[in-house]
Amino acid sequence: MTHTTEPALSTAQASARIPVPGTFNFRDLGGHLTPDGPVATGRLFRSDGLAHLTPDSHRMIDALGIRSVIDLRETKESASAPDALGAPVRPAGPALDHIRLPLFGDRYYPLEADHPERLQLPDHSLPTIYAAVVENCGERIADTIRLLADASAPVLFHCSAGKDRTGIVSAFVLTLLGVDRADVLDDYQATERYLGAEFLEAISRNFAQAGIVANLSHTATQAPREYMADLLARVDAEHGSVESYLTGHGLAPAEIHRLREVCLTHG
């Protein structure tokens, strides 16, 4: 394997926000150190919602080389705050490939209140939501990581806050790449630096318009380190490892190898 020659970044540098107008939590997933060298920068990007992008946002996105966007939100969320990826916001240029892949399969915020497979949770706390992701979303997580591995150009994936669904996918990707668990947790917790009152106001308005009720003051802005630590510990205890969890939900070993080739090498 020919490893990237990029220098490793500090955890703070690796998790630094990219100031794309209209976003709060837009970040490069690269820069973290692994036994095989640093995770390549400029390959995988993560973000909160993209409903408030501007022409300047798109110029930055184009400069980053991003050619595809994966939206992990439920259809109800996306309809309330659609990604601003086309005209009149996006200047003339190549279209972005917009892939909708609701991580919960439209079962958490279903379009029909009586959806027969609606996820009925005892509460909407983050630990309960995270447990539901592990129990119900393995195939969708595998599908997302497959798309990241197959992308021929830089790709951006996001949800509403860029914290929970996006954070879990990010933690799984970094774990597959060999990033130390402490650095994975630091990257997850870094979200709390970027999601403040302005973000809470914006997302509360979007959720209210969609008729979604949630404890947003906590669930939308907080990323307690122990929540992701508990999720990863549960995956390890019940499935052996993140890799075993994902292969058990349809991600082929060859696809994991391809992700590593894309993210740990040049060329």
Side-chain angles (χ1 to χ4, degrees), residues 83-102:
D83 286 346
L85 299 181
V89 175
R90 182 164 175 77
L96 292 169
D97 185 16
H98 190 208
I99 303 164
R100 291 212 58 255
L101 185 59

Side-chain angles (χ1 to χ4, degrees), residues 53-133:
L53 297 182
T54 68
D56 283 342
S57 309
H58 280 284
R59 282 185 274 273
M60 290 185 69
I61 288 171
D62 287 346
L64 292 170
I66 294 169
R67 297 266 50 87
S68 57
V69 174
I70 302 172
D71 186 351
L72 303 175
R73 298 175 298 167
E74 302 282 81
T75 298
K76 199 169 188 178
E77 294 171 85
S78 297
S80 175
D83 286 346
L85 299 181
V89 175
R90 182 164 175 77
L96 292 169
D97 185 16
H98 190 208
I99 303 164
R100 291 212 58 255
L101 185 59
L103 203 71
F104 279 109
D106 285 330
R107 296 169 59 199
Y108 188 46
Y109 297 127
L111 295 172
E112 308 86 16
D114 59 349
H115 190 296
E117 296 183 1
R118 179 173 189 165
L119 293 177
Q120 301 287 350
L121 306 184
D123 59 68
H124 295 282
S125 66
L126 288 178
T128 297
I129 293 170
Y130 286 13
V133 170

Side-chain angles (χ1 to χ4, degrees), residues 93-261:
L96 292 169
D97 185 16
H98 190 208
I99 303 164
R100 291 212 58 255
L101 185 59
L103 203 71
F104 279 109
D106 285 330
R107 296 169 59 199
Y108 188 46
Y109 297 127
L111 295 172
E112 308 86 16
D114 59 349
H115 190 296
E117 296 183 1
R118 179 173 189 165
L119 293 177
Q120 301 287 350
L121 306 184
D123 59 68
H124 295 282
S125 66
L126 288 178
T128 297
I129 293 170
Y130 286 13
V133 170
V134 172
E135 293 167 5
N136 297 280
C137 303
E139 291 183 3
R140 292 293 179 114
I141 297 172
D143 289 342
T144 303
I145 294 175
R146 181 178 300 110
L147 289 172
L148 300 180
D150 287 344
S152 59
V155 58
L156 168 66
F157 60 100
H158 80 93
C159 54
S160 289
K163 175 177 73 73
D164 303 312
R165 288 161 290 191
T166 298
I168 291 169
V169 171
S170 297
F172 281 19
V173 167
L174 293 176
T175 299
L176 289 176
L177 296 176
V179 175
D180 183 78
R181 179 64 54 88
D183 291 337
V184 173
L185 299 179
D186 286 345
D187 186 77
Y188 164 75
Q189 192 174 27
T191 283
E192 291 189 338
R193 298 201 296 265
Y194 309 126
L195 301 184
E198 186 180 356
F199 169 78
L200 180 60
E201 179 182 357
I203 196 172
S204 296
R205 182 170 57 251
N206 292 340
F207 271 50
Q209 290 170 353
I212 296 170
V213 178
N215 181 22
L216 291 175
S217 63
H218 176 74
T219 59
T221 60
Q222 296 189 23
R225 183 185 186 88
E226 62 270 20
Y227 289 0
M228 185 59 68
D230 289 347
L231 180 150
L232 293 171
R234 174 180 177 177
V235 169
D236 288 343
E238 295 182 358
H239 301 273
S241 66
V242 166
E243 183 168 345
S244 295
Y245 172 85
L246 291 167
T247 56
H249 287 89
L251 191 65
E255 292 167 330
I256 295 174
H257 177 75
R258 186 157 62 248
L259 179 76
R260 291 170 176 155
E261 287 291 306

